[in-house]
Amino acid sequence: MNTKKVYFYQAVSLGIMMMLCGVSCHTEKSHDEQGLEYHFDAPAKMWEETFPLGNGRIGMMPDGGIDTESFVLNEISMWSGSRQNTDNPEALKALPRIRELLFTSKNYEAQQLMYKSFVCGGEGSRNGPEVPYGSYQLLGNLNISYLYEDQEDTSDYRRSLSLSEATVYTHFHRGETSCQRQYFTSFADDIGVINLKASNGKKTPLGMVVSLSRPERAKIIVEGNDLIMSGQLNDGYNGEKGVRFGAKVRVVMPAGGEITAQGDTALVIANCPEATLLIAMATDYFGKEVDTQLDNAINAVTGKDAKTLWKRHYAAYSKLYDRVKVDFGSVPEKEALPINDRLLAFHHDRNDPSLAALYYQFGRYLLISATRPGSLPPNLQGLWTNTVSTPWNGDYHANINVQMNHWIAEQGNLSELHLPLIEWVKKQVPSGQHTARAFYDARGWVMHILGNVWEFTAPGEHPSWGATNTSAAWLCEHLYTHWQYTHDKDYLSEVYPVMKEASLFFVDMLVEDPRSHYLVTAPTTSPENAYRLPDGKTASVCAGSTMDNQIVRELFTNTIEAAAILGIDKDFSDTLAQKRLRLMPTTIGPDGRIMEWLENYEEAEPHHRHVSHLYGLHPANEISVDATPELAEAARRTLEARGDESTGWSMAWKINFWARLHDGEHAWKLLSDLLRPCVEKGYNYANGGGTYPNLFDAHPPFQIDGNYGGAAGIGEMLLQCQNGYIELLPALPQAWKTGSFSGIRVIGGGEVSAAWEDGKLKSATLKALADGVFKVKLPVGHSKITLNSKQTPFQTEGNNLVADLKAGDDLIIQLME
């Protein structure tokens, strides 16, 4: 075994011992962390009580019904619509006049002109399922009607989702008969599996009718032991270019039984102690023929029993899920409650620390389940929908939502699950280049708020929200973030042209405001928010916004850094640096808050769900407690004025904000608010946010970004690295007095584990996954270090420990009593 010379050093006066070694150091497993699950004691009464299963491409949501059980089936590319021409020749003609109006403080008139001219051609996203923009839709419904031999009472009902296994279990007794059901979407074999058993020691009572259905555009047939669905979605023109889709359900009876067809749409199973349903789902979105995909998937698992299929599934899934562990303590009596009762109990008594650990891992679980390399990124509902008309079309809103979906990816040690978004972004570039020319007469590429699978990059149909034009720039942050966490130079060279083209758009599009002489994005908005004009009217369109400046400044900075790393484009970098200097800096208004617009307007809605002008606090790092304390204080005042209660995803974002401000108690308060029990299904844009019984985020309605953002916020409370150094437990609340985590990733290609007691760090380990220099901020007050070795591969900078590590090295910090 090859080992590296071990260096020890000790901070004697502080009781800190640190070690650099070339071998891994393992921590003990936390309490039952690998067994994280939650459960109900009754079948689902609404879709938001069903459990989400997915393997990154296909999804399945069983409701656990006793007499009749329904499964919503999903496939990530199940999109209506098609590519379209969104050009609007009037937009470019009107652009000079729009800017003239804005620069003469006639913002309302500018907005009125934009409604007449500066919008996408065609229908936009209105009526998505029936127009070219399209909508994400369910694939279909699988229904099982169980045939019991008697009508005895049901008892001991329990259905649960095991996060560590990505498996749902349902168990109950029907009289003396034990009914056991197991469901999973295989990460190994790319099929859905339902295993059904019934036994009472005397007979084989399992019988059922299995059927497939869909609200529209589907045909169902029976072939032997197979149910087959096929259909084609609307392309938006009622033509023949819509996505074709299909599903095949094969019934396998390993212990024998009888199966017959019931008409053309159902199968009847009788006298069977065990049945396994194998479910294949596919579309031709990626160019592969549907029937071939279905046949290949089913035939590949023929002859494998349910136990073998599950073992293969678990082995593949656990390689992702098991990378991270979290433990905040346990209150067993709370954990024993059904999840709907547990959420209600937490609302009244927040002494349930493992609920936060569950929520963090649920966020990781949802990302693992909703996407995978080669697939599409998770949309507004991840992978799951139960309708043909998904809220907001289930699209890729790019003014925070699709970005928030990926905040957990790098931090949560799921870096490869960032790749579907990155590939999706790369596909938008040609369309975005066309939009830049057609609407702005600019080079480069642009994207506005709306995104789908058809490369829609034009302004939205309503300028009040559709005029935002920095979405491509924000998405480029994700391209660069993936490099920061992986240090894969080949990857950086692949995505640099995308970043350069996004920067090039702003080189051309930025225009000088003659009033301030700053360069501004005009026209634009502060996403979805409005302000009051001196005459009492409200408007959204403006000349520049704080968020735009923060995003463009970050884009230019990242592009300059990437070019330097690759050793290219010095002249272009110089141009970006010059433009960057001419952007208005983030500014504190007379009331001590961060200004949202470049003029000190009054918000039309002071408690608006978007807090876009704090982009520089999170996800960017322009504002920080240590480097810019005055801006950090202004950000705090901004958040206090905005308030806590809001939509689910907004509260999730605020968890991250408060964590960045090192206020663990306020971050915890927001997390607790996010976990507020919710059953509301209608649209609520104000203060209805919370958590549905199955832990889905409630906007309402369901929007998955709150789940991902809330989980990322928990990670930010535990560990931060955005300011050039690793900071352990920066926002730890009193509710998590003692705990541990392992496997959380940091910028530079590192993986961190830590444990604490009574709110104080006890130990930490940094594993280098790539060569590099890592800085670790030592706990407050621990600035003096006495070394016991003259040979030290580290140094100190103020309160930071600096270590030059090679891939595979571990830096271990142990705080001594």
Side-chain angles (χ1 to χ4, degrees), residues 282-581:
T283 79
D284 67 352
Y285 174 79
F286 288 105
K288 297 180 180 179
E289 202 270 332
V290 173
D291 290 342
T292 300
Q293 293 181 71
L294 298 178
D295 291 342
N296 288 345
I298 293 292
N299 293 338
V301 297
T302 299
K304 296 184 176 72
D305 61 20
K307 186 175 182 180
T308 299
L309 291 173
W310 184 86
K311 286 182 177 179
R312 288 168 51 82
H313 153 75
Y314 175 71
Y317 168 74
S318 60
K319 291 177 181 178
L320 294 168
Y321 179 83
D322 286 353
R323 294 174 184 174
V324 173
K325 300 177 180 65
V326 289
D327 179 9
F328 303 145
S330 174
V331 180
E333 57 268 27
K334 297 289 184 66
E335 295 175 352
L337 293 172
I339 189 62
N340 50 330
D341 293 338
R342 188 176 180 184
L343 288 171
L344 186 61
F346 181 78
H347 188 59
H348 298 290
D349 175 10
R350 293 177 175 175
N351 181 27
D352 187 1
S354 65
L355 183 60
L358 175 70
Y359 196 80
Y360 179 78
Q361 291 289 40
F362 185 61
R364 295 183 66 250
Y365 166 83
L366 289 175
L367 188 61
I368 297 168
S369 301
T371 192
R372 67 188 189 192
S375 185
L376 290 167
N379 57 51
L380 279 173
Q381 295 200 175
L383 172 65
W384 302 276
T385 183
N386 64 338
T387 178
V388 298
S389 185
T390 305
W392 300 286
N393 300 309
D395 69 5
Y396 298 107
H397 271 44
N399 64 352
I400 186 171
N401 312 97
V402 70
Q403 292 93 337
M404 185 181 285
N405 282 2
H406 295 82
W407 287 351
I408 191 67
E410 302 295 344
Q411 172 208 100
N413 212 332
L414 299 170
S415 187
E416 62 267 59
L417 301 188
H418 221 156
L419 295 177
L421 174 71
I422 292 166
E423 292 303 314
W424 180 83
V425 171
K426 290 159 68 174
K427 285 186 65 177
Q428 312 310 305
V429 173
S431 170
Q433 290 171 324
H434 182 89
T435 297
R437 292 191 298 270
F439 284 82
Y440 301 93
D441 191 25
R443 297 171 296 170
W445 78 285
V446 63
M447 183 176 178
H448 297 79
I449 178 178
L450 297 174
N452 60 12
V453 299
W454 309 119
E455 291 87 58
F456 187 100
T457 57
E461 61 268 22
H462 287 283
S464 63
W465 50 261
T468 300
N469 51 44
T470 47
S471 293
W474 189 341
L475 288 164
C476 282
E477 183 206 45
H478 286 260
L479 272 59
Y480 195 63
T481 295
H482 186 67
W483 145 257
Q484 289 177 310
Y485 276 83
T486 62
H487 277 203
D488 183 340
K489 198 170 181 178
D490 290 338
Y491 159 80
L492 185 63
S493 67
E494 291 177 7
V495 298
Y496 172 76
V498 181
M499 298 169 61
K500 179 180 179 180
E501 285 289 298
S503 296
L504 186 60
F505 169 74
F506 289 103
V507 168
D508 286 2
M509 186 267 191
L510 287 170
V511 60
E512 181 179 297
D513 186 333
R515 299 166 297 178
S516 66
H517 303 293
Y518 285 118
L519 295 180
V520 297
T521 50
T524 190
T525 69
S526 184
E528 303 186 38
N529 205 359
Y531 54 88
R532 298 192 188 282
L533 293 164
D535 62 3
K537 294 179 180 178
T538 62
S540 297
V541 173
C542 58
S545 69
T546 295
M547 183 190 213
D548 277 13
N549 284 1
Q550 292 171 346
I551 290 177
V552 173
R553 202 158 31 237
E554 180 188 49
L555 172 67
F556 285 179
T557 299
N558 291 345
T559 305
I560 291 168
E561 289 181 2
I565 293 166
L566 297 172
I568 57 176
D569 281 343
K570 177 65 167 60
D571 291 344
F572 184 66
S573 293
D574 290 343
T575 298
L576 296 185
Q578 293 167 8
K579 296 277 187 179
R580 183 177 59 185
L581 288 173

Side-chain angles (χ1 to χ4, degrees), residues 64-191:
I66 295 170
D67 296 313
T68 301
E69 187 168 25
S70 297
F71 302 76
V72 177
L73 305 180
N74 295 118
E75 207 276 354
I76 193 63
S77 61
M78 192 72 177
W79 266 84
S80 64
S82 57
R83 291 172 179 83
Q84 60 176 311
N85 180 2
T86 58
D87 288 358
N88 180 355
E90 298 303 313
L92 190 56
K93 295 177 185 177
L95 182 59
R97 178 58 178 163
I98 292 168
R99 286 173 170 169
E100 179 184 351
L101 290 168
L102 290 171
F103 294 153
T104 54
S105 301
K106 297 178 181 178
N107 296 26
Y108 184 80
E109 291 79 2
Q111 182 164 299
Q112 293 301 103
L113 178 56
M114 288 189 69
Y115 266 92
K116 297 176 182 178
S117 60
F118 210 90
V119 293
C120 60
E123 292 290 325
S125 64
R126 289 179 293 237
N127 304 312
E130 305 303 323
V131 300
Y133 184 84
S135 177
Y136 182 61
Q137 304 185 11
L138 88 165
L139 187 140
N141 295 292
L142 172 65
N143 303 289
I144 303 177
S145 296
Y146 294 98
L147 307 175
Y148 298 102
E149 294 188 355
D150 51 49
Q151 297 299 317
E152 296 184 72
D153 291 339
T154 299
S155 61
D156 304 323
Y157 184 95
R158 179 186 173 94
R159 60 187 177 96
S160 61
L161 169 60
S162 168
L163 299 184
S164 57
E165 299 176 354
T167 304
V168 170
Y169 298 93
T170 298
H171 177 267
F172 58 90
H173 283 89
R174 184 80 171 207
E176 296 181 0
T177 301
S178 173
C179 299
Q180 302 171 54
R181 306 171 186 171
Q182 180 192 54
Y183 331 81
F184 57 94
T185 47
S186 175
F187 280 77
D189 296 303
D190 205 18
I191 59 168

Side-chain angles (χ1 to χ4, degrees), residues 762-783:
K762 183 179 179 182
S763 62
T765 301
L766 166 64
K767 172 180 282 296
L769 304 178
D771 295 353
V773 176
F774 295 85
K775 296 182 180 180
V776 181
K777 184 178 181 180
L778 298 175
V780 175
H782 300 290
S783 57

Side-chain angles (χ1 to χ4, degrees), residues 639-653:
L639 288 169
E640 289 171 346
R642 209 61 144 201
D644 291 341
E645 290 189 3
S646 189
T647 62
W649 67 262
S650 178
M651 291 190 290
W653 196 4

